[in-house]
């Protein structure tokens, strides 16, 4: 009965103060929705590969190679897994996973598809990882060559259903495969991102023999399963033994000074390990900390708003407290009533917040590149999170006002003496400073990220990227076999200023090869980035020649004997006069190589990798008849017509093979997707924090005016004008902004400096962002104050003083 009474009183109070109730519920709703969305993201990131039964016993083994230059790779050579199982009894099993390349041509009867995420792997993959087969036997699905296991979506797309797919034939490129299983879609978070698995034994015997005999050929990710949890494992001695017994004798046969060693990476936590090259995209644990703090702070400032609004109404509720106490209500009863009111508000905010989540989920998925559904909120972990948010927010929001209001003295209130909050007012101001400091931090962070992104977009990368279309050329198409003819057909149209073929371009993964370079009259093995291209590559990208000459189709020996390097390579190799220096690749024993020549040209440095990375040495090889990409420079104003011609010519050469192209500038910008996501999230939550802070300022101004109403009335009677009253209010709030700035600016400076260290090329500390953030907060403060100042101007001071 008492609870029912509390509920009625709480509901009446909410309806009586509609404006304050709306502000309280709105602020908390936005805060709760923000916290739920961030919790979804954090939970998803933390759950990568956590669904595997053997997860605590699985580790990836990785390799570090030093060829006069260190490579810390996520990959190993092909024989590593079998050798570890053979040599060390604590290793129970292994699985190797190899990428089959980018987009692949899949032929099913007379239909052609372009698909990616096809992985070569061992048959043990279904024993080690919990990828559930819907059709087929896990032990035999990939047991032989030319077998493929499709995911459910591809099986349905190609053959109508998973069951119908079994035993059917398809071509991947020019190789025929038999569907021997159908696996569930990879809907659970995993770093093993697949559409299909093919049997690794499909590799030609000669290729397997070559790979199994080379301990330095990094080709696959290798996972090991141990007989005990990896966390309890002491395996350093075995790793050192493996290097000593296997790797060092292999190096000695080549007379090389190269070294290699191995390390285990436990599957648990692997998703956040970004320390290795040639790895699949990984998460960033520091971003989880940032987003977690965002959720916490947004909830806190929304709660602070509720507290300040409750206290701003304390004077109006003082008589209610006095009457209830006079009628026998104790402090506990009053405290419970006010806690009940806060719980009711938070519960209402939670319901509205869930509605906001449903509305915003699509936009949030687009921003974060996730695929959350509203049903994900009913996962037991998310339900516990929601319950925690509800209880903690209700307690934080209700406890402080309940304690303050329940301590009002009824005798003084009923005699007409309004309560004074005293020391609680200082705590209120401290809470307001926390709100303002967080908002300033968010604004500075957003502006700083935006400045860095603008810098990345505007920086001169050393090559042209406008109106250049990049075409993927599958090796199983007629275009690949008639590159020159296809190129000539395009150049016959005025829409194309030039066409170049290459194996890589800026914005793609530039490969790395083992070269021998001349140093001090000796040949030294060194791993160096490379691009294979034709003679038009330099003109299309507008690369500047510094010394020597470029490649020429008229000089037949250039294919085997000509190399072009960048300035960084000449500097790092110690070549003051780089022209004529000897370089080898396609290395063999006894100092021999399939390609042995000299440097014929030096080009000015250009950023072939993202600006996260420092400039590296680059060797360009002359390969006019092996192009995986065509870079086509379109004439100004003829982009649309040029693309139409490209589609027509492609159809003439490639038939019904899908045409795949992108613009070079888009490829370049795609390197910064993670930063773009961070900017969007910061921008959204900066707006939310400003909005909630504005509501908080509104509440605090309301309270301040309520407490100083008599003072302001006297001042008005004595001739004070509106601007004078506004200045009195502004002085107090500007002081709060000043204190918040002293707290937030050093923190923002430290955070921005740490984040910018991820980039080799970055802006200086963006001090203008700090100034703009303070000006914006000051503007929001003035807007929040203006309503109360205008309302104060319309108040009759005589009536206020008469009531006092």
């Amino acid at each position: 009965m008492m609870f029912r009474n509390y509920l009625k009183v709480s509901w009446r109070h909410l309806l009586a103060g509609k404006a304050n109730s709306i502000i309280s519920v709105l602020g908390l709703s936005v805060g709760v929705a923000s916290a739920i969305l961030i919790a979804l993201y954090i939970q998803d990131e933390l759950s990568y590969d956590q669904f595997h039964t053997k997860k605590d016993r699985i580790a990836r083994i990785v390799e570090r190679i030093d060829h006069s230059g260190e490579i810390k790779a996520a990959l190993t050579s092909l024989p590593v897994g079998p050798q570890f199982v053979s040599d060390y009894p604590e290793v129970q099993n292994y699985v190797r996973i190899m990428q089959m390349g980018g987009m692949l041509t899949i032929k099913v009867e007379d239909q052609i598809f372009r698909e990616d995420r096809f992985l070569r792997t061992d048959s043990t993959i279904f024993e080690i990882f919990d990828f559930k087969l819907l059709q087929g036997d896990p032990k035999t699905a990939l047991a032989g060559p030319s077998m493929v296991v499709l995911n459910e979506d591809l099986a349905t797309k190609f053959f109508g259903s998973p069951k119908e797919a079994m035993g059917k034939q398809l071509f991947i490129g020019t190789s025929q495969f038999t569907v021997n299983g159908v696996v569930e879609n990879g809907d659970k978070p995993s770093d093993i991102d697949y559409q299909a698995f093919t049997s690794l034994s499909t590799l030609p015997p000669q290729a397997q023999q070559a790979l199994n005999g080379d301990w330095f050929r990094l080709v696959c990710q290798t996972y090991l399963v141990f007989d005990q949890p990896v966390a309890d494992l002491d395996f350093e001695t075995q790793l050192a033994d493996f290097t000593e017994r296997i790797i060092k004798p292999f190096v000695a046969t080549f007379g090389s000074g190269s070294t290699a060693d191995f390390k285990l990476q436990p599957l648990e936590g692997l998703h956040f390990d970004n320390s290795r090259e040639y790895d699949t995209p990984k998460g960033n644990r520091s971003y989880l900390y940032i987003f977690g703090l965002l959720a916490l702070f947004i909830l806190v400032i929304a709660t602070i708003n509720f507290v300040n609004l409750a206290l701003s109404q304390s004077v109006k509720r003082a008589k209610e407290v006095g009457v209830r106490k006079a009628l026998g209500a104790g402090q506990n009863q009053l405290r419970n009533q006010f806690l009940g009111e806060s719980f009711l508000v938070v519960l209402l905010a939670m319901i509205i917040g869930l509605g906001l989540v449903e509305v915003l989920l699509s936009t949030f998925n687009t921003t974060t590149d996730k695929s959350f559904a509203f049903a994900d909120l009913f996962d037991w972990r998310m339900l516990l999170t929601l319950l925690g948010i509800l209880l903690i927010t209700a307690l934080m929001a209700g406890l402080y006002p309940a304690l303050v209001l329940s301590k009002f003295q009824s005798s003084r209130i009923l005699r007409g003496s309004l309560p004074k909050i005293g020391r609680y007012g200082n705590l209120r101001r401290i809470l307001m400073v926390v709100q303002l400091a967080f908002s300033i931090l968010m604004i500075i962070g957003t502006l700083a990220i935006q400045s860095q992104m603008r810098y990345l977009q505007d920086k001169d990368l050393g090559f042209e990227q406008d109106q250049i279309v990049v075409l993927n050329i599958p090796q199983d198409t007629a275009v690949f076999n008639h590159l020159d003819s296809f190129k000539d057909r395009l150049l016959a149209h005025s829409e194309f200023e030039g066409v170049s073929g290459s194996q890589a371009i800026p914005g793609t993964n530039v490969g790395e090869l083992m070269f021998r370079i001349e140093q001090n009259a000796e040949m030294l093995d060194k791993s160096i980035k490379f691009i294979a291209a034709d003679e038009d590559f330099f003109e299309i990208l507008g690369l500047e020649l510094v010394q020597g000459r470029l490649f020429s189709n008229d000089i037949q020996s250039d294919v085997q004997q000509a190399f072009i390097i960048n300035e960084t390579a000449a500097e790092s190799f110690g070549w003051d006069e780089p022209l004529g220096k000897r370089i080898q690749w396609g290395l063999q024993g006894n100092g021999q190589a399939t390609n042995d020549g000299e440097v014929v040209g030096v080009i000015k440095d250009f950023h072939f990798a993202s600006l996260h990375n420092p400039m590296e040495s680059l060797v360009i090889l002359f390969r006019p008849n092996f192009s995986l990409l065509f870079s086509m420079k379109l004439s100004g104003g003829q982009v649309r017509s040029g693309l139409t011609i490209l589609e027509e010519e492609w159809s003439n050469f490639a038939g019904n093979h899908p045409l795949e192209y992108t613009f070079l500038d888009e490829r370049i910008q795609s390197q910064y997707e993670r930063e773009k996501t961070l900017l969007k999230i910061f921008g959204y939550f900066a707006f939310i924090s400003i909005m909630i802070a504005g509501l908080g300022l509104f509440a605090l101004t309301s309270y301040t005016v309520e407490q100083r109403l008599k003072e302001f009335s006297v001042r008005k009677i004595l001739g004070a004008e509106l601007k004078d009253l506004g200045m009195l209010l502004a002085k107090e709030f500007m002081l709060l902004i000043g204190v918040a700035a002293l707290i937030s600016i050093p923190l923002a400076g430290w955070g921005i400096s740490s984040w910018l260290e991820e980039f080799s090329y970055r802006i200086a500390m963006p001090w203008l962002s700090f100034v703009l953030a303070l000006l914006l907060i000051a503007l929001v403060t003035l807007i929040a104050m203006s309503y109360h100042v205008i309302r104060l101007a319309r108040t009759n001071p005589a009536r206020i003083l008469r009531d006092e």
Side-chain angles (χ1 to χ4, degrees):
M1 187 69 179
M2 186 175 294
F3 176 77
R4 184 178 176 185
N5 183 52
Y6 286 160
L7 193 61
K8 283 184 178 179
V9 172
S10 300
W11 185 251
R12 287 171 183 168
H13 172 65
L14 288 177
L15 294 178
K18 291 185 179 64
N20 283 317
S21 298
I22 290 172
I23 292 174
S24 296
V25 172
L26 178 62
L28 284 172
S29 298
V30 173
V32 166
S34 302
I36 291 172
L37 289 172
I38 292 175
L40 273 173
Y41 180 86
I42 292 175
Q43 180 183 301
D44 181 80
E45 286 291 298
L46 292 175
S47 64
Y48 266 70
D49 287 308
Q50 297 306 297
F51 60 93
H52 302 296
T53 306
K54 301 175 182 177
K55 63 179 183 294
D56 62 328
R57 296 194 288 125
I58 299 173
R60 185 176 73 176
I61 186 167
V62 293
E63 190 167 353
R64 183 195 67 85
I65 297 178
D66 192 342
H67 297 298
S68 300
E70 186 180 72
I71 304 173
K72 296 175 69 175
L75 308 176
T76 68
S77 57
L78 197 65
V80 165
Q83 192 72 44
F84 267 86
V85 170
S86 172
D87 291 355
Y88 305 108
E90 53 265 65
V91 184
Q92 294 185 331
N93 210 341
Y94 72 90
V95 63
R96 299 163 295 183
I97 300 175
M98 298 173 62
Q99 299 285 340
M100 289 189 69
M103 297 296 292
L104 301 172
T105 303
I106 314 298
K107 187 175 182 181
V108 181
E109 296 179 348
D110 59 346
Q111 290 184 296
I112 294 179
F113 304 90
R114 292 285 287 167
E115 305 291 345
D116 60 356
R117 296 183 290 138
F118 274 54
L119 305 176
R120 286 192 180 96
T121 188
D122 294 298
S123 60
T124 53
I125 189 166
F126 300 115
E127 299 175 35
I128 294 175
F129 296 110
D130 292 356
F131 299 129
K132 182 181 177 183
L133 280 184
L134 305 177
Q135 298 287 329
D137 184 344
K139 294 182 179 180
T140 61
L142 295 172
S146 302
M147 293 182 177
V148 61
V149 174
L150 305 175
N151 72 2
E152 186 177 4
D153 283 349
L154 276 192
T156 303
K157 180 178 179 179
F158 293 165
F159 303 106
S161 71
K163 188 174 182 179
E164 290 295 323
M166 291 297 293
K168 297 294 176 59
Q169 308 291 314
L170 57 79
F171 282 86
I172 303 175
T174 57
S175 301
Q176 187 175 27
F177 287 80
T178 300
V179 179
N180 205 37
V182 177
V183 65
E184 64 182 353
N185 294 326
D187 296 332
K188 297 175 182 176
S190 174
D191 284 320
I192 302 173
D193 188 19
Y194 63 86
Q195 279 190 300
F197 298 108
T198 66
S199 48
L200 195 146
S201 58
T202 307
L203 287 171
Q206 62 271 26
Q208 293 188 49
Q209 183 178 359
L211 292 174
N212 281 317
D214 190 344
W215 292 96
F216 278 0
R217 186 81 64 87
L218 304 178
V219 294
C220 62
Q221 292 196 41
T222 302
Y223 293 87
L224 305 178
V225 181
F226 292 88
D227 59 0
Q228 59 182 300
V230 178
D232 302 334
L233 191 66
D234 183 7
F235 204 66
E236 294 301 318
T237 302
Q238 291 88 328
L239 293 173
D241 170 73
F242 185 84
T243 300
E244 192 70 28
R245 287 190 307 104
I246 303 295
I247 303 302
K248 286 189 176 180
F250 172 74
V251 172
T253 61
F254 286 90
S256 168
S258 300
T259 60
D261 53 51
F262 298 85
K263 178 182 177 182
L264 292 181
Q265 294 180 315
L267 184 65
E268 295 182 298
L270 182 60
H271 179 61
F272 299 105
D273 193 327
N274 288 282
S275 63
R276 298 280 159 171
E277 295 184 65
Y278 313 116
D279 205 352
T280 54
K282 292 290 188 285
N284 190 322
R285 194 179 293 275
S286 63
Y287 283 9
L288 296 193
Y289 296 142
I290 292 172
F291 295 156
L293 287 174
L294 281 180
L296 176 63
F297 275 113
I298 287 176
L299 262 184
V300 167
I301 64 174
T303 303
I304 289 172
N305 271 359
F306 180 88
V307 171
N308 283 338
L309 279 167
L311 289 176
S312 71
Q313 298 299 303
S314 60
V315 175
K316 295 180 180 179
R317 302 200 68 181
K319 289 184 179 180
E320 175 194 339
V321 173
V323 171
R324 285 180 174 274
K325 281 195 169 185
L327 293 175
Q331 281 195 15
N332 285 337
Q333 288 178 309
L334 291 169
R335 192 177 299 122
N336 290 339
Q337 177 192 329
F338 293 128
L339 281 172
E341 288 181 10
S342 70
F343 183 82
L344 181 63
V345 171
V346 174
L347 181 60
L348 185 59
M350 174 71 79
I351 295 170
I352 297 174
L354 288 171
L356 289 174
V357 169
E358 172 73 10
V359 171
L360 298 173
L361 203 53
S362 176
T363 302
F364 188 71
N365 283 337
T366 302
T367 301
T368 58
D369 195 25
K370 298 287 186 181
S371 55
F372 299 121
F374 192 73
D376 293 334
L377 295 176
F378 300 101
D379 176 84
W380 67 269
R381 289 166 296 187
M382 277 307 301
L383 288 175
L384 285 178
T385 302
L386 293 176
L387 181 61
I389 291 173
L390 176 64
L391 295 178
I392 293 172
T393 306
L395 189 62
M396 287 194 305
L399 188 59
Y400 176 44
L403 288 173
V404 174
L405 292 170
S406 63
K407 288 183 178 180
F408 287 168
Q409 297 179 13
S410 59
S411 57
R412 293 185 60 190
I413 294 170
L414 294 177
R415 285 199 305 267
S417 176
L418 293 177
K420 301 295 181 183
I421 302 301
R423 68 179 185 276
Y424 299 116
N426 292 329
L427 181 56
R428 248 184 332 92
R429 292 184 180 89
I430 291 172
L431 295 176
M432 192 68 243
V433 166
V434 172
Q435 275 189 314
L436 292 171
F438 177 70
S439 298
I440 293 170
L441 269 172
M442 288 296 298
I443 297 168
I444 292 174
T446 301
L447 294 175
I449 296 171
Q450 191 176 48
S451 297
Q452 174 66 8
M453 291 303 297
R454 191 180 303 115
Y455 171 80
L456 296 177
Q457 291 170 352
D458 296 342
K459 181 173 173 56
D460 182 9
L461 301 179
F463 61 89
E464 295 181 11
Q465 52 182 300
D466 294 334
Q467 296 200 166
I468 295 179
V469 177
V470 181
L471 173 68
N472 293 324
I473 303 177
Q475 297 184 43
D476 59 341
T477 63
V479 174
F480 185 79
N481 298 319
H482 301 87
L483 292 173
D484 288 338
S485 299
F486 184 66
K487 184 176 179 179
D488 291 340
R489 288 294 304 162
L490 293 177
L491 290 174
H493 300 278
S494 61
E495 284 81 359
F496 293 88
E497 292 185 4
V499 178
S500 167
S502 61
Q503 142 272 346
I505 56 167
T508 62
N509 290 324
V510 173
E512 197 161 347
L513 278 177
M514 181 64 67
F515 291 86
R516 286 196 192 108
I517 62 170
E518 177 184 341
Q519 285 200 325
N520 300 323
E522 295 181 354
M523 298 299 290
L524 179 69
D525 289 359
K526 193 173 183 64
S527 181
I528 309 171
K529 301 288 186 184
F530 80 100
I531 292 177
D534 63 14
E535 68 173 347
D536 297 311
F537 179 77
F538 307 92
E539 181 181 355
I540 294 297
L541 293 183
L543 302 179
E544 182 180 339
L545 181 68
V546 177
Q547 296 183 52
R549 66 174 178 85
L550 299 176
F551 297 135
S552 174
N553 287 326
D554 298 329
I555 304 176
Q556 294 184 357
S557 61
D558 272 6
V559 173
Q560 295 289 329
Q561 299 176 3
F563 299 90
I564 293 175
I565 62 174
N566 65 352
E567 293 174 307
T568 295
E571 183 180 349
S572 65
F573 301 162
W575 292 343
D576 295 329
E577 297 293 336
L579 297 182
K581 294 294 185 181
R582 190 177 171 198
I583 294 181
Q584 294 178 331
W585 78 278
L587 305 186
Q588 301 172 344
N590 301 318
Q592 301 299 308
T594 57
N595 295 70
D596 192 337
E598 63 182 29
V599 175
V600 300
V602 179
I603 58 171
K604 189 174 181 179
D605 282 338
F606 68 99
H607 293 279
F608 56 87
S610 81
L611 295 176
H612 293 97
N613 307 310
M615 187 67 68
E616 294 184 82
S617 300
L618 178 70
V619 175
I620 301 179
L621 314 174
F622 188 38
R623 285 293 174 275
N625 296 314
F626 188 84
S627 300
L628 302 178
L629 300 168
F630 260 16
S631 302
M632 300 161 287
K633 179 74 172 178
L634 298 178
S635 302
Q638 300 191 62
V639 174
R640 187 179 297 276
S641 58
L643 293 178
T644 300
I645 291 170
L646 175 61
E647 291 173 358
E648 293 172 354
E649 295 295 349
W650 176 267
S651 179
N652 292 335
F653 274 82
N656 57 354
H657 274 76
L659 173 68
E660 297 171 7
Y661 64 85
T662 57
F663 286 90
L664 180 57
D665 55 353
E666 293 176 353
R667 280 185 180 247
I668 299 301
Q669 291 306 313
S670 69
Q671 299 175 115
Y672 309 107
E673 288 300 325
R674 190 171 65 180
E675 286 72 30
K676 290 178 182 177
T677 298
L678 183 64
L679 175 60
K680 289 178 182 177
I681 292 176
F682 254 83
Y684 290 148
F685 290 118
F687 173 78
I688 289 171
S689 69
I690 292 170
M691 185 190 76
I692 295 177
L695 293 174
L697 287 165
F698 182 89
L700 187 57
T701 309
S702 173
Y703 172 79
T704 302
V705 170
E706 197 78 37
Q707 288 286 294
R708 300 176 66 180
L709 198 54
K710 184 177 179 181
E711 173 196 342
F712 289 146
S713 298
V714 172
R715 288 180 179 274
K716 284 183 69 177
I717 290 174
L718 295 177
E721 297 181 0
L722 182 62
K723 65 178 181 179
D724 300 319
L725 300 179
M727 287 299 296
L728 282 173
L729 280 175
K731 187 184 297 183
E732 177 178 350
F733 288 106
M734 291 303 129
L735 178 62
L736 295 180
I737 292 175
V739 175
L742 290 176
I743 297 170
S744 59
I745 287 177
L747 290 174
W750 171 79
I752 292 168
S753 179
S754 300
W755 178 70
L756 288 174
E757 287 178 1
E758 295 185 9
F759 299 88
S760 295
Y761 300 88
R762 51 185 178 262
I763 58 174
M765 185 61 68
W767 297 113
L768 182 60
S769 299
F770 292 70
V771 175
L772 291 176
L774 293 177
L775 290 176
L776 182 57
I777 284 294
L779 177 62
V780 172
T781 303
L782 291 175
I783 292 172
M785 286 172 45
S786 61
Y787 168 81
H788 294 286
V789 172
I790 294 171
R791 187 180 176 189
L792 184 62
R794 295 175 178 176
T795 303
N796 186 347
R799 183 181 61 81
I800 298 298
L801 294 175
R802 184 175 62 247
D803 292 342
E804 287 287 328

